[in-house]
Amino acid sequence: MSFYNDASLVFLPSGGAGKDGKAYSMKPVPEYGSELVTNGGFDTDSDWNLTSGGTDANISNGKANFVNAVKGQRIQQNFSFTAAKTYKVVFTVSNYTSGLLGFYMGGVYAVSNINANGTYTYLVTPTNNAEAFLRAMQTGVSHNFSVDDISVREVVVGDGDFTFSRGSNLTATRVDSNGLIEKGRENLLTQSNNFSDSDWTKATGNIVTGGQSGYDGSTDAWEIESPSNNYIFRRTNTQGGVQTLSIYVKKNTSYGIRLYAFGTDNANVYYDLNTGVVVARDSDVIDDSITDVGNDWWRITMTYNQTNTQLYFYVTDNSNTLVSGGTLVVQDAQLEQSLVATEYIESGATKGKAGILEHSPRFDYSGGASCPSLLLEPSRTNSFNYSEYFGGLTKLNATLETNNTTSPEGLQNASRFLSAENDTLSKYIDFQGSAPPSTENQVFSLFVKNYNHRYIQLINNGDADLYANFDIANGIIGNYGSGTTASIEDYGNGWYRCTIVCDGSQNNINSACRIYLVDSLTQGYANQTNVALGNGVYIWGAMQENNASYPTSYIPNHSGGSVTREADFCEGAGTSSTFNDAEGVLYAEIAALADDGTNKYISINNGGTDDYLFLRYRSDNRFQVRYRSNNTDSLNETFDLSNNLDFNKIAVSYKRNEFKIFVNGSQIGSTDTSGTIFNVSVDNLDFESFNGGSNFYGKVKQVIVFNTALSDVELTALTS
Amino acid sequence: MDITRKYEFVDEAEANEAIDLLRDEEGNLTESVVKLGYLTITPAQYDEEGNTIKEAVVSTKYAVDVSWSITPLQSWEAYIVWPTPMGIHNYGSSSQRDEYAKTYCELYPDSEYCNPPEITEE
């Protein structure tokens, strides 16, 4: 048989299988009925009723417009639909300035609080056959927005997509298909290449002219002229922390530019566009660069760490003097929370975003995997104020060079940590975070690469039992303290993620963690060792997770405070037609993140507590399969997998008087010949318990649902 | 869109009472909550051996951040605080951070955060 052809639901993580708020399944392919709405494009002022007198809404310019509408204003059409059937509703909101929009259908509000432009999609199951309408929802507020392209169609076959949420973009990462760590990114400058926009404050008399030839072959560049000795642009930026400002620039009648971030500190850099060199900088600048991008264009960058800044751009000459009447050509400005400039992201009226987005599932290629897995993690906080910028940290007998080499992210934003003394002395960097509550654990992780030295030690500064030694040339763990467990993971290109988990039940854990340069794998806690002057390692990606027993994926932090990545939620796939109550198979290829004593479920359910099927890693770290019908067990088996952290292929086949479990090509126990099938239909597949909670935190390579029971031969093949 | 709000309680017990209002019938939290605890105002200082030279100074209030997917409960309003965006803990998506900053400036329009000083040298 072809398993994918015969399955009713197939979820396979891959590059195109997710977007903001969805994790897509390959099957079932949804089918929809004919369009129920007439004139959904509002091409003519017909077919729609504008109720509440119709004075607060109109149809014009191809849209339905709410204009200073009060609560209760409707735009309505009487099309035919049937209670208890499910309908897909899609419409687009534009020109939004105020109020809340709702959509009502047959006794149900699909939504009642739309407050932004966008295209919205909902599934609605009406409870009666009466009216449907768009409605202004907010008391005492004028509603002003337009609606277009409304469509309502019956769902004949529902999709098998999961609803996905996380609520974090900039703090979430994954390992991409190139083996590099990918972050969420954001251009903090709105109208990033629209210098005539009012978001760019211009000094009196300054002139900007668009339509110039750009560095990228476009005509999207801007000539700027400063007729006075003043700035050409100013931007207010209240976001704090480590930031990098960048802009593409080309000489014209002038050949110098100055970037100035004025705030809690003053970061200033002068660039010479003739020679391509930085000619002056302030000490408050962390880093700067000028990079030739061809045809006399340069990308210039300035990195600083401060809050509440005004950003200024000036035209200068080669003696760093402001030029009156000088001109330059500029394009594509970007401000980002980063130690280096990354690929340009266009911003319009809202900030441009790229990489890991809010509510986007993470398809992860960790460990050199050729096929990705869906990564589902709990919420975690990185308590270190900075995860990549270490310039402000206390260090002893050591030097630190920021942006010295290429990191596991593929950018030159890793630091070099070198011994500054030849004597037998401690050489360390001290990372300050926060202490966990009494008896709770702490995880300290750091990416480390051999520069010309192979041995390091990680410690928590609170107790002599909290340390481990690592050989980061060969990926080996050495001596470690009695209150510590250690791990080392290869991230490629010589980088290892070294981790210590500090046991808080017996030890005093404090807020400070350190990396030491040591001279062997057998060194004791924080010993003074002989590491020669100039020897050292590269470091990047520091992370401290409190109340945690294992490390999770890297959480970047440039904020100056702690940051939290929220938990992943993946739930709600399928409808009653996806699952067969009489017989079927649930198959999953999964790995747990840790044996951490928590329950981690995958379940088929109907939201109740009487009829469900689940797979779970139990709190005692055993594995359990349970099929329950009418609050009675038809199947309930608990067993041990060889390793919960490895990918295991697990299939459960159910049919009246025939229940069986196969794992990695073999049957577990014997076929149960006495059970009954679901009493109340199931309609939902969740990565959580049958009644919510106890989320599955792990990695998922595939999940498949069949609507028929499979033979032993088929189950063996499926799980092999 | 979810929104982030920040709260301070007398102690953890008072915070837990409020957090329990965010649980469903099975006891699962329905909103995302981070218990920050007693925030460090001034970090502790340690010597080379890890001995404390100077104890940390911590807040007397117990801090909790919530990422609300619903309209925040009225009962939590009494505990809300508005540190300068976003205080010492960044929580939620970048959109949530923008919303927090925008609301902060609506509440405190004259604050320095909302009116960054401009240079006077030129």
Side-chain angles (χ1 to χ4, degrees):
Chain A
M1 70 183 293
S2 167
F3 289 120
Y4 293 156
N5 283 344
D6 293 346
S8 63
L9 185 149
V10 178
F11 174 68
L12 275 177
S14 67
K19 69 159 196 175
D20 203 11
K22 285 288 182 188
Y24 294 119
S25 294
M26 291 171 56
K27 291 183 73 175
V29 177
E31 296 176 19
Y32 303 106
S34 57
E35 179 60 56
L36 299 178
V37 173
T38 304
N39 187 27
F42 300 101
D43 297 329
T44 58
D45 186 0
S46 61
D47 307 302
W48 293 93
N49 298 319
L50 310 178
T51 58
S52 297
T55 56
D56 298 327
N58 63 66
I59 295 174
S60 63
N61 299 319
K63 290 181 169 62
N65 307 297
F66 288 76
V67 183
N68 295 323
V70 297
K71 180 181 178 182
Q73 173 66 49
R74 296 181 186 181
I75 294 177
Q76 184 164 353
Q77 183 176 123
N78 294 321
F79 55 85
S80 177
F81 59 89
T82 306
K85 289 189 174 181
T86 300
Y87 295 85
K88 182 181 181 183
V89 179
V90 183
F91 54 85
T92 298
V93 176
S94 59
N95 305 321
Y96 175 87
T97 58
S98 59
L100 296 174
L101 172 64
F103 180 83
Y104 174 94
M105 187 172 175
V108 176
Y109 267 104
V111 60
S112 60
N113 60 351
I114 292 176
N115 61 356
N117 293 334
T119 296
Y120 296 88
T121 302
Y122 303 97
L123 296 179
V124 192
T125 306
T127 57
N128 63 50
N129 302 340
E131 58 196 358
F133 50 79
L134 295 154
R135 183 175 184 267
M137 300 298 293
Q138 195 168 7
T139 303
V141 171
S142 291
H143 292 68
N144 288 283
F145 43 76
S146 300
V147 180
D148 196 8
D149 296 332
I150 183 164
S151 165
V152 179
R153 293 190 296 167
E154 183 187 341
V155 177
V156 179
V157 177
D159 62 41
D161 301 336
F162 291 90
T163 299
F164 186 90
S165 64
R166 182 182 49 253
S168 302
N169 52 343
L170 304 182
T171 52
T173 61
R174 66 157 184 159
V175 175
D176 69 14
S177 57
N178 299 311
L180 300 174
I181 291 177
E182 182 187 29
K183 299 172 178 169
R185 299 188 297 123
E186 181 180 45
N187 187 348
L188 296 168
L189 298 176
T190 52
Q191 304 294 350
S192 58
N193 192 43
N194 183 6
F195 297 99
S196 64
D197 190 89
S198 60
D199 284 4
W200 293 90
T201 302
K202 290 165 276 285
T204 304
N206 289 351
I207 300 168
V208 297
T209 307
Q212 310 297 314
S213 296
Y215 70 93
D216 54 358
S218 71
T219 54
D220 294 336
W222 300 74
E223 182 178 293
I224 54 174
E225 178 179 346
S226 176
S228 59
N229 292 333
N230 206 339
Y231 62 84
I232 44 178
F233 304 126
R234 173 170 62 82
R235 290 295 297 253
T236 299
N237 171 50
T238 53
Q239 189 124 17
V242 173
Q243 299 176 357
T244 295
L245 175 64
S246 63
I247 189 168
Y248 290 87
V249 59
K250 180 181 179 179
K251 66 184 179 183
N252 205 25
T253 65
S254 290
Y255 41 88
I257 186 169
R258 172 194 181 194
L259 302 183
Y260 181 21
F262 172 76
T264 49
D265 295 312
N266 293 297
N268 245 313
V269 181
Y270 294 81
Y271 306 83
D272 186 329
L273 304 176
N274 261 335
T275 58
V277 297
V278 170
V279 289
R281 69 175 62 86
D282 285 344
S283 59
D284 291 328
V285 174
I286 293 173
D287 199 9
D288 49 55
S289 67
I290 178 166
T291 305
D292 187 351
V293 294
N295 299 318
D296 288 334
W297 279 95
W298 307 88
R299 191 183 197 193
I300 60 173
T301 75
M302 176 175 74
T303 303
Y304 56 88
N305 180 20
Q306 57 181 329
T307 59
N308 225 25
T309 49
Q310 301 278 4
L311 305 172
Y312 296 89
F313 300 71
Y314 300 85
V315 176
T316 63
D317 62 16
N318 63 350
S319 59
N320 306 338
T321 303
L322 304 186
V323 174
S324 177
T327 62
L328 298 171
V329 187
V330 299
Q331 190 178 358
D332 292 353
Q334 181 152 293
L335 180 67
E336 56 196 307
Q337 291 207 292
S338 174
L339 264 177
V340 292
T342 64
E343 186 179 354
Y344 173 69
I345 309 163
E346 184 91 8
S347 281
T350 57
K351 296 168 183 173
K353 296 178 176 64
I356 305 295
L357 302 175
E358 183 184 358
H359 303 312
S360 66
R362 292 175 292 166
F363 299 128
D364 187 78
Y365 292 79
S366 288
S370 56
C371 297
S373 56
L374 173 67
L375 178 61
L376 300 170
E377 293 185 305
S379 178
R380 286 288 178 87
T381 297
N382 186 352
S383 300
F384 290 145
N385 293 350
Y386 303 98
S387 64
E388 294 168 23
Y389 175 58
F390 309 129
L393 301 183
T394 299
K395 54 187 181 295
L396 187 68
N397 302 316
T399 60
L400 195 63
E401 298 160 72
T402 301
N403 289 353
N404 187 268
T405 196
T406 304
S407 74
E409 189 185 1
L411 300 172
Q412 184 156 328
N413 57 359
S415 296
R416 186 165 63 175
F417 161 36
L418 300 178
S419 166
E421 298 287 345
N422 267 322
D423 298 328
T424 301
L425 295 168
S426 296
K427 286 113 183 176
Y428 69 73
I429 298 173
D430 183 279
F431 301 87
Q432 281 288 343
S434 62
S438 177
T439 75
E440 296 291 345
N441 293 345
Q442 181 187 83
V443 181
F444 170 36
S445 58
L446 184 67
F447 291 83
V448 189
K449 178 178 178 176
N450 177 11
Y451 164 58
N452 59 0
H453 186 77
R454 63 196 294 185
Y455 301 118
I456 61 127
Q457 183 180 94
L458 300 185
I459 72 161
N460 178 278
N461 201 23
D463 196 300
D465 289 326
L466 304 177
Y467 77 98
N469 296 303
F470 299 87
D471 174 350
I472 45 91
N474 299 300
I476 297 170
I477 298 168
N479 280 17
Y480 51 89
S482 61
T484 311
T485 55
S487 62
I488 186 166
E489 186 178 1
D490 188 349
Y491 270 72
N493 301 315
W495 282 100
Y496 289 91
R497 190 184 196 192
C498 301
T499 301
I500 57 171
V501 179
C502 302
D503 178 0
S505 64
Q506 302 291 327
N507 302 284
N508 177 32
I509 300 174
N510 72 21
S511 59
C513 297
R514 290 177 179 170
I515 175 175
Y516 282 77
L517 298 174
V518 293
D519 57 10
S520 76
L521 276 177
T522 57
Q523 278 298 335
Y525 177 83
N527 281 351
Q528 295 186 343
T529 58
N530 189 5
V531 177
L533 171 72
N535 283 7
V537 298
Y538 300 113
I539 58 174
W540 183 82
M543 192 152 142
Q544 183 189 64
E545 301 167 85
N546 284 319
N547 307 338
S549 60
Y550 62 96
T552 60
S553 64
Y554 173 54
I555 301 172
N557 185 12
H558 298 285
S559 71
S562 58
V563 296
T564 295
R565 179 197 63 233
E566 292 199 57
D568 298 287
F569 292 91
C570 193
E571 57 195 357
T575 65
S576 57
S577 63
T578 309
F579 309 98
N580 182 357
D581 295 331
E583 61 177 304
V585 171
L586 171 62
Y587 166 75
E589 185 176 357
I590 51 177
L593 293 180
D595 290 328
D596 61 338
T598 63
N599 289 306
K600 297 174 273 286
Y601 283 81
I602 298 173
S603 67
I604 294 174
N605 61 77
N606 54 24
T609 57
D610 291 345
D611 294 270
Y612 53 79
L613 165 62
F614 71 66
L615 318 175
R616 71 165 170 169
Y617 298 96
R618 289 199 328 188
S619 57
D620 60 3
N621 301 323
R622 304 193 76 204
F623 198 84
Q624 183 181 14
V625 176
R626 192 173 195 183
Y627 183 106
R628 203 155 171 87
S629 170
N630 198 22
N631 208 22
T632 302
D633 283 334
S634 297
L635 176 70
N636 187 0
E637 291 285 342
T638 300
F639 50 92
D640 294 307
L641 297 171
S642 59
N643 187 341
N644 290 335
L645 312 191
D646 289 341
F647 278 100
N648 288 288
K649 298 178 178 180
I650 302 155
V652 185
S653 181
Y654 62 91
K655 186 179 181 181
R656 186 181 302 279
N657 298 332
E658 186 181 304
F659 292 81
K660 48 196 175 186
I661 304 165
F662 277 70
V663 176
N664 299 331
S666 301
Q667 185 169 7
I668 299 294
S670 56
T671 301
D672 187 318
T673 58
S674 62
T676 60
I677 58 171
F678 292 128
N679 184 53
V680 177
S681 292
V682 294
D683 56 8
N684 200 32
L685 173 60
D686 294 326
F687 288 104
E688 60 185 28
S689 174
F690 51 89
N691 57 349
S694 298
N695 293 24
F696 180 85
Y697 292 131
K699 298 178 179 181
V700 181
K701 277 194 174 173
Q702 52 183 335
V703 173
I704 304 175
V705 173
F706 297 89
N707 270 344
T708 55
L710 299 181
S711 69
D712 291 358
V713 172
E714 289 168 331
L715 289 166
T716 300
L718 179 65
T719 58
S720 295
Chain B
M1 189 187 91
D2 295 355
I3 61 171
T4 299
R5 292 292 181 264
K6 293 170 175 284
Y7 303 90
E8 282 187 350
F9 298 88
V10 169
D11 52 26
E12 185 173 10
E14 187 178 63
N16 285 337
E17 280 184 30
I19 291 169
D20 284 344
L21 299 175
L22 309 180
R23 298 187 188 279
D24 64 16
E25 292 172 357
E26 281 74 40
N28 304 309
L29 275 174
T30 57
E31 303 300 312
S32 298
V33 175
V34 174
K35 294 163 74 171
L36 299 171
Y38 300 96
L39 299 177
T40 300
I41 297 169
T42 308
Q45 294 178 14
Y46 306 101
D47 66 13
E48 197 174 320
E49 281 72 44
N51 303 310
T52 304
I53 301 170
K54 193 173 180 182
E55 294 286 352
V57 177
V58 297
S59 169
T60 57
K61 296 291 185 66
Y62 192 90
V64 174
D65 283 3
V66 181
S67 176
W68 294 95
S69 63
I70 59 171
T71 302
L73 295 188
Q74 194 67 38
S75 59
W76 278 67
E77 188 63 27
Y79 307 103
I80 198 166
V81 291
W82 287 94
T84 304
M86 287 190 78
I88 65 143
H89 176 239
N90 279 264
Y91 192 30
S93 66
S94 53
S95 302
Q96 286 173 249
R97 297 177 197 187
D98 289 346
E99 189 278 337
Y100 181 90
K102 180 170 178 279
T103 305
Y104 177 88
C105 286
E106 289 169 359
L107 293 170
Y108 305 101
D110 298 326
S111 64
E112 183 172 304
Y113 174 84
C114 306
N115 302 277
E118 296 179 34
I119 53 172
T120 55
E121 63 167 313
E122 254 68 42

